Amino acid sequence: MGMTQKADRDQIRRQNRSVVLQALRRNGPQARIDLGRITRLSPATVTSITSDLISEGLVAGVEDDCQREREKGARGRPRSLLALHGPAARVLAVKLSVNTIEMALADYAGRLVGRDVAGFDSTSVTADGFSEILIDSLRAFIARTGGVAPSFIALASQGVVDDSAGTVAWSPAFAVRHVQIVGPLARAFGVPCLLSNDTNMIAEALHRSDPQRYGGTFAVLFVDYGVGMGLFINDRLFVGETGAAAEIGHANHIPGGALCRCGRRGCLEAYLGDYALLRHARGLDLQTPPACLPVGRETIRELIAAARAGDPGTLEAFHAGGTALGYAFARVIATLDPRRIVVTGAAADAYPLMEAAALTALEEGLVSDLRGSVEIEAIAWEEDLILRGTVARALHALDTEVFSETGYGNQREMLGG
Amino acid sequence: MGMTQKADRDQIRRQNRSVVLQALRRNGPQARIDLGRITRLSPATVTSITSDLISEGLVAGVEDDCQREREKGARGRPRSLLALHGPAARVLAVKLSVNTIEMALADYAGRLVGRDVAGFDSTSVTADGFSEILIDSLRAFIARTGGVAPSFIALASQGVVDDSAGTVAWSPAFAVRHVQIVGPLARAFGVPCLLSNDTNMIAEALHRSDPQRYGGTFAVLFVDYGVGMGLFINDRLFVGETGAAAEIGHANHIPGGALCRCGRRGCLEAYLGDYALLRHARGLDLQTPPACLPVGRETIRELIAAARAGDPGTLEAFHAGGTALGYAFARVIATLDPRRIVVTGAAADAYPLMEAAALTALEEGLVSDLRGSVEIEAIAWEEDLILRGTVARALHALDTEVFSETGYGNQREMLGG
DNA sequence: CAACTTTTTTTCGGACGTCGAAAAAAATAA
DNA sequence: TTATTTTTTTCGACGTCCGAAAAAAAGTTG
């Protein structure tokens, strides 16, 4: 607690195994000599570690491209490429949202083995009962994709997640609170199980896709039907003490301001959520209850179209949303001094409509000396980003926590190596 | 970048040396057997490491209390206590504020060797010129306290610090910006040099005083003439990408709100700073320029006295300040989900006057599900906390970064062992 | 086509750090 | 003086990394 832990011999090997696995995951198939350059381990050590990993079935040689890649006239012994061995393990990634369980299965090499969607009734499930529905859906999905048991399960859910309890504390996906997830799943499948906020998984996906650009300390603002935030701090996903960090949607923007879905006044979401934009666009009072507004999947797209067509009320709504967004930038920067802020989500396509107001608000909300050299960037929203991030996180957990453990040899057959 | 680093043998020894040094620093003089229990290292390893440290002059045996401590009737070979050896090194801690350079010198065992205050003219120093004044003051101070050169210098400054540049970007302590500190000092004294925000050093002091209580992720809100924040994330001081994290004083509280010293409207400080409280207590308009208000060292104390005497305007000012504080709590909790928030500073004595408003605001500003199990605590302000934290940080840096390096034997004489 | 060059991979021996077990040391108790 | 207890040190074993040398696997050259 607080003090650095002691180190011992085993730890060295664990860490270096993990470093080699991560190097292969990040850079694709590599020759041993290049693994040495990437990891700064000596060639001798690379040979030692990779021969362990090969005999454990986690890594395998690639015969395929060996000669094709070779430049003409290259002399010397040709490099033999090593790659993560797909069949070594499978990971199951799950995304929970309203009425929907989205599932993806990937092998250890990161190839997608299958994906599917199951439905459930968000309004009727109970806190204890949902896990059975979930387990059944996952079992059926696994059976359909070959019946190979996963080695790791990672889940992403809308709403507020309680890390230590392994529950969804509060979410639009469930009418009830404290929905049990991790415990029942880990028992049912007998494998490690990780539950996260969905927006965090966007940050994870970005980080894995380009660790240089999306690294250090950066924030993702997810502007969609609601507003979420994903946070990387010092190159690691940050979830806070209970897993509820980065819940900026219901952080206050203006004390006593617009009425929010959560019943409070002035939340950021009450200016940026789908219902908030619609409410403003229609010229309704800011205290109009969100439940009175007809929002759906199409809402945001329709609003963007209306604004592009020049509808003044809708433009004004995006302007107000942009102002709220800009103050959110200012507060995040003042608190965390990040390297980058990424805006995405269904409403990210509308960022050009909000940008001017957002930058003005940022200037009004933060002394310029504090703005550091932060870059603000809107990226087009892809629905798959969340599930991709969840897969990436599961694979990373295998690399660093499961397969870093030395002596995985016996389990090879079980996993289908 | 992003990927975990490789580990090797040297690193093990470095880490374990550092773990032993930290165990001695945190728990005071210890026998080898107890060091083994604390660090989870084997007795054999403890002997090996401590004998190195002793021969390098970093640790020394304590003959003194050996027998006094012994319980009557205790059998067996008596434990021989080891302690950090004071003369092994000295650290210099410096606090920069308006017109004032506060200095403290401590030995490696953490004992205060001397302290002093020097003055300078905040309004007239230049960005490049201040370092000379600083170096002269420090040289004179070192000469007065025995002339032993320090092994490490840590500085804390009011305002915004730029970590990578080693400058004070912007501060009430200087009329100019980007005041050079680290570079000139490191060159002049030839030792490592660390510059921090002063509020961060409060967090550091609390963490070192009780790592259990002030650990994990926690925030310190420093309410004084202005408002600052210090942040610990995952047991480590967090300063952001450029060192400007946790600058909550000029984060926006209410868009377009009260006029702040920085020229913007609605900053948290414009409701909680000394001038803000005074402005409100006197019933002045919120747009009254802060420069028009006669604030000084006594202001806060006088306001507290007036409020305790029942002055309605002053009570109302603290109420408004409390509301701003409560919204600040809400925003920090929503962003970081900390274990604890500590309120301190000259205005901390007034926390009872603000608490009711703060808790109401917290409730209005944050869904209860997000409140987690955060504890909010006001602690009485001690002026020395900042300098104590700066000393602690310097010593910790020696333990983990300088003396963890194996083979310090040759330098012993230089350092005065 | 055999000898040489180049590059990658493996093997070997040395160094070093941790650990468990045994020995040594330093006290009290009998 | 001898036994007991507790702490500290010593010793040998084991594991890991590394540098150097050897082996392997190609292309190049005469």
Side-chain angles (χ1 to χ4, degrees), chain A residues 373-410:
Chain A
S373 51
V374 61
E375 286 190 55
I376 294 172
E377 164 191 53
I379 63 176
W381 172 233
E382 298 170 69
E383 201 63 52
D384 277 356
L385 215 51
I386 291 174
L387 210 50
R388 282 218 316 269
T390 312
V391 169
R393 184 169 163 112
L395 291 170
H396 185 248
L398 281 184
D399 293 343
T400 57
E401 284 160 42
V402 180
F403 291 153
S404 63
E405 207 61 46
T406 175
Y408 231 80
N410 299 341

mmCIF file of all heavy atoms in Angstrom, chain A residues 373-410:
data_model
loop_
_atom_site.group_PDB
_atom_site.id
_atom_site.type_symbol
_atom_site.label_atom_id
_atom_site.label_comp_id
_atom_site.label_asym_id
_atom_site.label_seq_id
_atom_site.Cartn_x
_atom_site.Cartn_y
_atom_site.Cartn_z
ATOM 1 N N SER A 373 -0.673 22.349 -24.083
ATOM 2 C CA SER A 373 -0.577 22.120 -25.520
ATOM 3 C C SER A 373 -1.585 21.049 -25.916
ATOM 4 O O SER A 373 -1.336 20.220 -26.765
ATOM 5 C CB SER A 373 0.835 21.686 -25.881
ATOM 6 O OG SER A 373 1.210 20.604 -25.042
ATOM 7 N N VAL A 374 -2.720 21.073 -25.235
ATOM 8 C CA VAL A 374 -3.727 20.041 -25.470
ATOM 9 C C VAL A 374 -4.262 20.128 -26.899
ATOM 10 O O VAL A 374 -4.454 21.216 -27.436
ATOM 11 C CB VAL A 374 -4.875 20.172 -24.442
ATOM 12 C CG1 VAL A 374 -5.563 21.505 -24.570
ATOM 13 C CG2 VAL A 374 -5.873 19.044 -24.589
ATOM 14 N N GLU A 375 -4.448 18.964 -27.509
ATOM 15 C CA GLU A 375 -5.060 18.920 -28.828
ATOM 16 C C GLU A 375 -6.473 18.392 -28.705
ATOM 17 O O GLU A 375 -6.710 17.387 -28.043
ATOM 18 C CB GLU A 375 -4.253 18.011 -29.747
ATOM 19 C CG GLU A 375 -2.957 18.621 -30.198
ATOM 20 C CD GLU A 375 -2.323 17.791 -31.300
ATOM 21 O OE1 GLU A 375 -2.990 17.548 -32.317
ATOM 22 O OE2 GLU A 375 -1.164 17.368 -31.111
ATOM 23 N N ILE A 376 -7.389 19.082 -29.338
ATOM 24 C CA ILE A 376 -8.780 18.642 -29.332
ATOM 25 C C ILE A 376 -9.112 18.126 -30.714
ATOM 26 O O ILE A 376 -8.806 18.766 -31.718
ATOM 27 C CB ILE A 376 -9.703 19.794 -28.924
ATOM 28 C CG1 ILE A 376 -9.417 20.166 -27.462
ATOM 29 C CG2 ILE A 376 -11.165 19.389 -29.091
ATOM 30 C CD1 ILE A 376 -10.109 21.399 -26.993
ATOM 31 N N GLU A 377 -9.707 16.954 -30.754
ATOM 32 C CA GLU A 377 -9.877 16.264 -32.018
ATOM 33 C C GLU A 377 -11.223 15.549 -32.019
ATOM 34 O O GLU A 377 -11.563 14.866 -31.048
ATOM 35 C CB GLU A 377 -8.732 15.254 -32.152
ATOM 36 C CG GLU A 377 -8.925 14.200 -33.188
ATOM 37 C CD GLU A 377 -7.860 13.102 -33.053
ATOM 38 O OE1 GLU A 377 -7.693 12.556 -31.939
ATOM 39 O OE2 GLU A 377 -7.232 12.808 -34.058
ATOM 40 N N ALA A 378 -11.995 15.730 -33.087
ATOM 41 C CA ALA A 378 -13.237 14.971 -33.226
ATOM 42 C C ALA A 378 -12.985 13.834 -34.203
ATOM 43 O O ALA A 378 -12.402 14.057 -35.267
ATOM 44 C CB ALA A 378 -14.357 15.870 -33.743
ATOM 45 N N ILE A 379 -13.358 12.646 -33.817
ATOM 46 C CA ILE A 379 -13.209 11.551 -34.766
ATOM 47 C C ILE A 379 -14.569 10.932 -35.052
ATOM 48 O O ILE A 379 -15.422 10.843 -34.172
ATOM 49 C CB ILE A 379 -12.194 10.483 -34.307
ATOM 50 C CG1 ILE A 379 -12.638 9.805 -33.027
ATOM 51 C CG2 ILE A 379 -10.826 11.085 -34.103
ATOM 52 C CD1 ILE A 379 -11.697 8.699 -32.618
ATOM 53 N N ALA A 380 -14.759 10.554 -36.328
ATOM 54 C CA ALA A 380 -16.052 10.004 -36.749
ATOM 55 C C ALA A 380 -16.376 8.774 -35.910
ATOM 56 O O ALA A 380 -15.496 7.979 -35.580
ATOM 57 C CB ALA A 380 -16.000 9.633 -38.224
ATOM 58 N N TRP A 381 -17.622 8.683 -35.549
ATOM 59 C CA TRP A 381 -18.027 7.607 -34.651
ATOM 60 C C TRP A 381 -18.228 6.298 -35.413
ATOM 61 O O TRP A 381 -18.876 6.250 -36.448
ATOM 62 C CB TRP A 381 -19.327 8.002 -33.952
ATOM 63 C CG TRP A 381 -19.938 6.897 -33.140
ATOM 64 C CD1 TRP A 381 -21.214 6.425 -33.212
ATOM 65 C CD2 TRP A 381 -19.297 6.152 -32.110
ATOM 66 N NE1 TRP A 381 -21.403 5.431 -32.314
ATOM 67 C CE2 TRP A 381 -20.236 5.233 -31.622
ATOM 68 C CE3 TRP A 381 -18.007 6.166 -31.569
ATOM 69 C CZ2 TRP A 381 -19.942 4.334 -30.611
ATOM 70 C CZ3 TRP A 381 -17.706 5.263 -30.556
ATOM 71 C CH2 TRP A 381 -18.680 4.368 -30.090
ATOM 72 N N GLU A 382 -17.611 5.252 -34.885
ATOM 73 C CA GLU A 382 -17.884 3.914 -35.388
ATOM 74 C C GLU A 382 -18.509 3.111 -34.260
ATOM 75 O O GLU A 382 -17.934 3.030 -33.172
ATOM 76 C CB GLU A 382 -16.600 3.209 -35.781
ATOM 77 C CG GLU A 382 -15.810 3.848 -36.876
ATOM 78 C CD GLU A 382 -14.450 3.156 -36.965
ATOM 79 O OE1 GLU A 382 -14.427 1.992 -37.378
ATOM 80 O OE2 GLU A 382 -13.448 3.787 -36.586
ATOM 81 N N GLU A 383 -19.621 2.510 -34.553
ATOM 82 C CA GLU A 383 -20.342 1.750 -33.536
ATOM 83 C C GLU A 383 -19.464 0.661 -32.917
ATOM 84 O O GLU A 383 -19.569 0.347 -31.737
ATOM 85 C CB GLU A 383 -21.595 1.130 -34.182
ATOM 86 C CG GLU A 383 -22.679 0.737 -33.214
ATOM 87 C CD GLU A 383 -23.246 1.930 -32.475
ATOM 88 O OE1 GLU A 383 -23.643 2.927 -33.121
ATOM 89 O OE2 GLU A 383 -23.258 1.874 -31.233
ATOM 90 N N ASP A 384 -18.568 0.105 -33.755
ATOM 91 C CA ASP A 384 -17.786 -1.047 -33.317
ATOM 92 C C ASP A 384 -16.663 -0.730 -32.340
ATOM 93 O O ASP A 384 -16.075 -1.632 -31.754
ATOM 94 C CB ASP A 384 -17.154 -1.729 -34.540
ATOM 95 C CG ASP A 384 -18.135 -2.668 -35.192
ATOM 96 O OD1 ASP A 384 -19.241 -2.831 -34.638
ATOM 97 O OD2 ASP A 384 -17.796 -3.237 -36.236
ATOM 98 N N LEU A 385 -16.364 0.556 -32.205
ATOM 99 C CA LEU A 385 -15.192 0.935 -31.418
ATOM 100 C C LEU A 385 -15.241 0.359 -30.006
ATOM 101 O O LEU A 385 -14.231 -0.101 -29.469
ATOM 102 C CB LEU A 385 -15.104 2.466 -31.378
ATOM 103 C CG LEU A 385 -13.713 3.078 -31.378
ATOM 104 C CD1 LEU A 385 -12.865 2.512 -32.491
ATOM 105 C CD2 LEU A 385 -13.797 4.579 -31.492
ATOM 106 N N ILE A 386 -16.416 0.366 -29.412
ATOM 107 C CA ILE A 386 -16.548 -0.106 -28.031
ATOM 108 C C ILE A 386 -16.208 -1.587 -27.924
ATOM 109 O O ILE A 386 -15.412 -2.002 -27.072
ATOM 110 C CB ILE A 386 -17.965 0.171 -27.496
ATOM 111 C CG1 ILE A 386 -18.169 1.676 -27.327
ATOM 112 C CG2 ILE A 386 -18.197 -0.548 -26.177
ATOM 113 C CD1 ILE A 386 -19.573 2.074 -26.947
ATOM 114 N N LEU A 387 -16.797 -2.382 -28.826
ATOM 115 C CA LEU A 387 -16.546 -3.817 -28.759
ATOM 116 C C LEU A 387 -15.084 -4.125 -29.102
ATOM 117 O O LEU A 387 -14.470 -5.011 -28.512
ATOM 118 C CB LEU A 387 -17.514 -4.554 -29.690
ATOM 119 C CG LEU A 387 -17.914 -5.973 -29.271
ATOM 120 C CD1 LEU A 387 -18.368 -6.045 -27.825
ATOM 121 C CD2 LEU A 387 -19.008 -6.503 -30.178
ATOM 122 N N ARG A 388 -14.528 -3.370 -30.050
ATOM 123 C CA ARG A 388 -13.116 -3.566 -30.393
ATOM 124 C C ARG A 388 -12.225 -3.281 -29.192
ATOM 125 O O ARG A 388 -11.271 -4.007 -28.920
ATOM 126 C CB ARG A 388 -12.724 -2.646 -31.555
ATOM 127 C CG ARG A 388 -13.179 -3.136 -32.911
ATOM 128 C CD ARG A 388 -12.145 -2.857 -34.008
ATOM 129 N NE ARG A 388 -11.558 -1.538 -33.979
ATOM 130 C CZ ARG A 388 -12.043 -0.481 -34.649
ATOM 131 N NH1 ARG A 388 -13.126 -0.601 -35.392
ATOM 132 N NH2 ARG A 388 -11.432 0.673 -34.581
ATOM 133 N N GLY A 389 -12.562 -2.217 -28.476
ATOM 134 C CA GLY A 389 -11.798 -1.884 -27.284
ATOM 135 C C GLY A 389 -11.919 -2.966 -26.229
ATOM 136 O O GLY A 389 -10.953 -3.278 -25.526
ATOM 137 N N THR A 390 -13.093 -3.541 -26.128
ATOM 138 C CA THR A 390 -13.315 -4.590 -25.131
ATOM 139 C C THR A 390 -12.494 -5.833 -25.468
ATOM 140 O O THR A 390 -11.891 -6.447 -24.585
ATOM 141 C CB THR A 390 -14.812 -4.927 -25.057
ATOM 142 O OG1 THR A 390 -15.562 -3.719 -24.961
ATOM 143 C CG2 THR A 390 -15.110 -5.790 -23.840
ATOM 144 N N VAL A 391 -12.453 -6.192 -26.742
ATOM 145 C CA VAL A 391 -11.603 -7.300 -27.176
ATOM 146 C C VAL A 391 -10.142 -6.992 -26.854
ATOM 147 O O VAL A 391 -9.421 -7.808 -26.274
ATOM 148 C CB VAL A 391 -11.762 -7.565 -28.695
ATOM 149 C CG1 VAL A 391 -10.688 -8.525 -29.183
ATOM 150 C CG2 VAL A 391 -13.147 -8.116 -29.012
ATOM 151 N N ALA A 392 -9.720 -5.780 -27.209
ATOM 152 C CA ALA A 392 -8.326 -5.391 -26.987
ATOM 153 C C ALA A 392 -7.962 -5.483 -25.515
ATOM 154 O O ALA A 392 -6.881 -5.947 -25.143
ATOM 155 C CB ALA A 392 -8.088 -3.971 -27.500
ATOM 156 N N ARG A 393 -8.896 -5.061 -24.690
ATOM 157 C CA ARG A 393 -8.616 -5.092 -23.260
ATOM 158 C C ARG A 393 -8.476 -6.516 -22.746
ATOM 159 O O ARG A 393 -7.614 -6.827 -21.925
ATOM 160 C CB ARG A 393 -9.719 -4.381 -22.509
ATOM 161 C CG ARG A 393 -9.407 -4.315 -21.048
ATOM 162 C CD ARG A 393 -10.319 -3.404 -20.307
ATOM 163 N NE ARG A 393 -10.199 -3.734 -18.907
ATOM 164 C CZ ARG A 393 -9.668 -2.944 -18.007
ATOM 165 N NH1 ARG A 393 -9.261 -1.779 -18.369
ATOM 166 N NH2 ARG A 393 -9.564 -3.304 -16.763
ATOM 167 N N ALA A 394 -9.339 -7.398 -23.242
ATOM 168 C CA ALA A 394 -9.278 -8.798 -22.824
ATOM 169 C C ALA A 394 -7.944 -9.416 -23.248
ATOM 170 O O ALA A 394 -7.286 -10.106 -22.472
ATOM 171 C CB ALA A 394 -10.445 -9.574 -23.427
ATOM 172 N N LEU A 395 -7.533 -9.150 -24.483
ATOM 173 C CA LEU A 395 -6.275 -9.709 -24.971
ATOM 174 C C LEU A 395 -5.094 -9.155 -24.173
ATOM 175 O O LEU A 395 -4.167 -9.878 -23.824
ATOM 176 C CB LEU A 395 -6.106 -9.399 -26.466
ATOM 177 C CG LEU A 395 -7.094 -10.137 -27.376
ATOM 178 C CD1 LEU A 395 -7.034 -9.598 -28.796
ATOM 179 C CD2 LEU A 395 -6.819 -11.639 -27.366
ATOM 180 N N HIS A 396 -5.154 -7.882 -23.878
ATOM 181 C CA HIS A 396 -4.087 -7.269 -23.091
ATOM 182 C C HIS A 396 -4.016 -7.892 -21.699
ATOM 183 O O HIS A 396 -2.936 -8.127 -21.150
ATOM 184 C CB HIS A 396 -4.329 -5.759 -22.985
ATOM 185 C CG HIS A 396 -3.234 -5.036 -22.299
ATOM 186 N ND1 HIS A 396 -3.392 -4.438 -21.073
ATOM 187 C CD2 HIS A 396 -1.941 -4.820 -22.642
ATOM 188 C CE1 HIS A 396 -2.255 -3.891 -20.713
ATOM 189 N NE2 HIS A 396 -1.360 -4.099 -21.646
ATOM 190 N N ALA A 397 -5.172 -8.186 -21.141
ATOM 191 C CA ALA A 397 -5.196 -8.832 -19.825
ATOM 192 C C ALA A 397 -4.576 -10.228 -19.906
ATOM 193 O O ALA A 397 -3.852 -10.646 -19.001
ATOM 194 C CB ALA A 397 -6.629 -8.904 -19.298
ATOM 195 N N LEU A 398 -4.851 -10.944 -20.988
ATOM 196 C CA LEU A 398 -4.208 -12.256 -21.162
ATOM 197 C C LEU A 398 -2.694 -12.094 -21.232
ATOM 198 O O LEU A 398 -1.947 -12.813 -20.562
ATOM 199 C CB LEU A 398 -4.704 -12.933 -22.443
ATOM 200 C CG LEU A 398 -6.066 -13.627 -22.415
ATOM 201 C CD1 LEU A 398 -6.323 -14.321 -23.738
ATOM 202 C CD2 LEU A 398 -6.155 -14.637 -21.278
ATOM 203 N N ASP A 399 -2.238 -11.146 -22.032
ATOM 204 C CA ASP A 399 -0.793 -10.933 -22.200
ATOM 205 C C ASP A 399 -0.105 -10.594 -20.889
ATOM 206 O O ASP A 399 0.986 -11.067 -20.608
ATOM 207 C CB ASP A 399 -0.530 -9.777 -23.180
ATOM 208 C CG ASP A 399 -0.957 -10.113 -24.597
ATOM 209 O OD1 ASP A 399 -1.137 -11.307 -24.891
ATOM 210 O OD2 ASP A 399 -1.118 -9.182 -25.400
ATOM 211 N N THR A 400 -0.739 -9.748 -20.111
ATOM 212 C CA THR A 400 -0.037 -9.221 -18.940
ATOM 213 C C THR A 400 -0.340 -9.976 -17.654
ATOM 214 O O THR A 400 0.462 -9.965 -16.743
ATOM 215 C CB THR A 400 -0.391 -7.744 -18.707
ATOM 216 O OG1 THR A 400 -1.809 -7.633 -18.566
ATOM 217 C CG2 THR A 400 0.070 -6.873 -19.851
ATOM 218 N N GLU A 401 -1.489 -10.596 -17.586
ATOM 219 C CA GLU A 401 -1.855 -11.195 -16.301
ATOM 220 C C GLU A 401 -1.939 -12.709 -16.321
ATOM 221 O O GLU A 401 -1.687 -13.351 -15.316
ATOM 222 C CB GLU A 401 -3.186 -10.617 -15.804
ATOM 223 C CG GLU A 401 -3.015 -9.222 -15.237
ATOM 224 C CD GLU A 401 -4.317 -8.468 -15.204
ATOM 225 O OE1 GLU A 401 -5.332 -9.069 -14.839
ATOM 226 O OE2 GLU A 401 -4.312 -7.275 -15.585
ATOM 227 N N VAL A 402 -2.338 -13.273 -17.449
ATOM 228 C CA VAL A 402 -2.525 -14.723 -17.483
ATOM 229 C C VAL A 402 -1.308 -15.429 -18.084
ATOM 230 O O VAL A 402 -0.686 -16.257 -17.439
ATOM 231 C CB VAL A 402 -3.805 -15.087 -18.270
ATOM 232 C CG1 VAL A 402 -3.985 -16.592 -18.307
ATOM 233 C CG2 VAL A 402 -5.011 -14.419 -17.650
ATOM 234 N N PHE A 403 -0.948 -15.058 -19.287
ATOM 235 C CA PHE A 403 0.122 -15.769 -19.975
ATOM 236 C C PHE A 403 1.504 -15.278 -19.595
ATOM 237 O O PHE A 403 2.509 -15.839 -20.040
ATOM 238 C CB PHE A 403 -0.076 -15.679 -21.493
ATOM 239 C CG PHE A 403 -1.266 -16.453 -21.971
ATOM 240 C CD1 PHE A 403 -1.935 -16.095 -23.121
ATOM 241 C CD2 PHE A 403 -1.738 -17.546 -21.250
ATOM 242 C CE1 PHE A 403 -3.030 -16.810 -23.565
ATOM 243 C CE2 PHE A 403 -2.842 -18.274 -21.684
ATOM 244 C CZ PHE A 403 -3.494 -17.894 -22.839
ATOM 245 N N SER A 404 1.583 -14.231 -18.816
ATOM 246 C CA SER A 404 2.882 -13.823 -18.313
ATOM 247 C C SER A 404 3.352 -14.832 -17.266
ATOM 248 O O SER A 404 4.548 -15.004 -17.053
ATOM 249 C CB SER A 404 2.797 -12.437 -17.689
ATOM 250 O OG SER A 404 1.935 -12.466 -16.571
ATOM 251 N N GLU A 405 2.414 -15.494 -16.643
ATOM 252 C CA GLU A 405 2.756 -16.502 -15.640
ATOM 253 C C GLU A 405 3.548 -17.613 -16.307
ATOM 254 O O GLU A 405 3.142 -18.164 -17.320
ATOM 255 C CB GLU A 405 1.462 -17.060 -15.030
ATOM 256 C CG GLU A 405 1.641 -17.565 -13.632
ATOM 257 C CD GLU A 405 2.081 -16.449 -12.709
ATOM 258 O OE1 GLU A 405 1.504 -15.340 -12.751
ATOM 259 O OE2 GLU A 405 3.028 -16.677 -11.942
ATOM 260 N N THR A 406 4.672 -17.936 -15.714
ATOM 261 C CA THR A 406 5.541 -18.933 -16.321
ATOM 262 C C THR A 406 4.949 -20.336 -16.163
ATOM 263 O O THR A 406 4.178 -20.599 -15.253
ATOM 264 C CB THR A 406 6.945 -18.849 -15.686
ATOM 265 O OG1 THR A 406 7.716 -19.898 -16.200
ATOM 266 C CG2 THR A 406 6.887 -18.971 -14.190
ATOM 267 N N GLY A 407 5.305 -21.204 -17.106
ATOM 268 C CA GLY A 407 4.849 -22.582 -17.011
ATOM 269 C C GLY A 407 3.401 -22.788 -17.363
ATOM 270 O O GLY A 407 2.609 -23.313 -16.590
ATOM 271 N N TYR A 408 3.028 -22.339 -18.564
ATOM 272 C CA TYR A 408 1.664 -22.544 -18.992
ATOM 273 C C TYR A 408 1.527 -23.829 -19.783
ATOM 274 O O TYR A 408 0.492 -24.144 -20.338
ATOM 275 C CB TYR A 408 1.180 -21.349 -19.837
ATOM 276 C CG TYR A 408 -0.118 -20.836 -19.324
ATOM 277 C CD1 TYR A 408 -0.152 -20.017 -18.227
ATOM 278 C CD2 TYR A 408 -1.323 -21.222 -19.901
ATOM 279 C CE1 TYR A 408 -1.346 -19.582 -17.719
ATOM 280 C CE2 TYR A 408 -2.518 -20.792 -19.386
ATOM 281 C CZ TYR A 408 -2.522 -19.970 -18.305
ATOM 282 O OH TYR A 408 -3.713 -19.550 -17.792
ATOM 283 N N GLY A 409 2.639 -24.563 -19.838
ATOM 284 C CA GLY A 409 2.733 -25.720 -20.711
ATOM 285 C C GLY A 409 1.602 -26.723 -20.600
ATOM 286 O O GLY A 409 1.068 -27.182 -21.611
ATOM 287 N N ASN A 410 1.180 -27.055 -19.404
ATOM 288 C CA ASN A 410 0.206 -28.125 -19.228
ATOM 289 C C ASN A 410 -1.160 -27.794 -19.804
ATOM 290 O O ASN A 410 -1.904 -28.673 -20.196
ATOM 291 C CB ASN A 410 0.036 -28.434 -17.743
ATOM 292 C CG ASN A 410 1.346 -28.901 -17.141
ATOM 293 O OD1 ASN A 410 2.246 -29.314 -17.876
ATOM 294 N ND2 ASN A 410 1.467 -28.820 -15.833
#
